[in-house]
Amino acid sequence: MCGLFGIFGVKEAANYTYFGLYSLQHRGQESAGIAVYDGKKIREWKNLGLVSEVFNEEILKELPGEVAIGHVRYSTTGSSILQNAQPFCVNFAKKTIAIAHNGNLVNAYQIRCELEEDGHIFQTTMDSEVIVHLIAKNLKKGLVEAITEVMKRVRGAYSILLLYEDNLIAFRDPWGFRPLALGMLNGGYVIASETCAFDLIGAQYLRDVKPGEILIISKDGPKSYYPFKGKKTKFQRSYCIFEFIYFARPDSYIFSKNVYPIRKNLGKNLYKECPLEADFVMPFPDSGNYAAIGYSQASGLPLEFAMIRNHYVGRTFIQPSQKIRDISVKMKLNPVKEILRDKEVVIIDDSLVRGTTSKNRLKSIKEAGAKRIHFLLSCPPIKYPCFFGIDFPSSAELIAGRHSVEEIRKYLDIDTLYYLSIEGLLDAVGDLRDKVCLACFTGEYPVEVDFSFRKDIAEV
Ligand code: AMP
């Protein structure tokens, strides 16, 4: 969970990157950063906080240049400290390289240990740093060769942007876990995790950076390299299905498909599998909105927004007592008593992770006077952790990892609990059905995970 933005050959590159990161803010709220090349050197600015907190006009003025990369971070590996904010810049052999990474590697620790034995010194706890060290080690062979070495060595999810002299470089793991799109702006190029960033700055979406592709944009234009092409090794396409279910913005195209209609399909399929009579259907906003529209349109049940979201709630840090914790849940969403009183309701949300927020929200719906509550989820039970960049805890902490649907229904204290089937999910993504990663539902990981090497993984 992170957002990437890159730009090449456009004046005020840092300003565009700032706006690009703004539209990718949902992909990470812990830190934000921009690195820019002015023809001579790379300058960077990053800090903990939201894009609007980290940057202002004065700071952006100090970042001149026409090539830039930016990053918003949601930490899935490495702790949330400034040291781990990205882009991450390193100097070596009188050169600077800046990296921005979305995804998680599953063999980073192993490679790090080997590099440390060879004398490499690491500055952070991020797995992205391993990539920079591997590039630096192999750069004398040439840039493409150095990145090829990285791609041969590391396993897992990586959509990556590099800034190296006046080159903007993008490369993506051969499984294609995380999205990355290429666009055009004023004769220059832009690259972003999601196309909603292009819409904001008026860029045109050209295509996705392909899984297994190295794309180097320099003054000679863009050039693509495919180090795995024609090789015997076959990589199963593994687009993260959770990007469609929850993570990406509905106005974005990811993996070449618009998210909005897919979310609506999830709701339509929920109705096919679980048709219910009720007074109305409502989402838990915003994550359930589009599936609820789909359910309402398929069922003919009216759609209500009986849970009101406070859009101005940031992160809530204070959690000392249960009472304060309860207030912080209510801060975000408040039910409308007038609409809910004595009603039978179908509530739609995208997913259950630990179950704790949903329990509190459902309790408040009941307290608002709802007579019967049917809670429907637009994805199957999440039973297994994700090692490829989505922040799911260990199976022990995932509510569906240890409990049956009936046990969860009782715990949530509601009348019906229904999860969309895997078939219903696959149907919603159309022709991508054979190309998605379903590991969080099935436990079948498309890449071998080295459980012995990571403490957090070992808990699974
Ligand atoms: P809970 O009831 O505590 O399992 O939280 C469920 C809510 O968390 C749903 O509304 C989801 O939209 C949201 N959610 C889904 N995935 C994640 C995630 N990886 N991290 C945090 N929240 C998530």
Side-chain angles (χ1 to χ4, degrees), residues 8 18-19 22 40 56 73-74 147 172 185 241 277 282-283 289-290 335-336 353 374 392 412 420 423-424 428 431 458:
F8 179 91
Y18 167 78
F19 286 118
Y22 228 108
K40 286 195 193 95
N56 59 34
R73 176 171 164 83
Y74 181 114
I147 297 172
R172 194 168 160 210
L185 176 73
I241 191 93
E277 292 289 326
M282 61 173 276
N289 286 359
Y290 306 93
V336 186
V353 183
H374 311 289
F392 289 152
L412 296 174
L420 186 67
E423 185 44 44
D431 57 2

Side-chain angles (χ1 to χ4, degrees), residues 221-247:
K223 265 201 187 130
S224 294
Y225 304 85
Y226 299 93
F228 298 105
K229 210 169 192 171
K231 296 274 177 340
K232 263 200 200 144
T233 338
K234 284 266 175 290
F235 297 95
Q236 181 195 332
R237 283 284 179 276
S238 307
Y239 302 141
C240 171
I241 191 93
F242 217 68
E243 293 268 0
F244 285 121
I245 296 167
Y246 167 76
F247 199 38

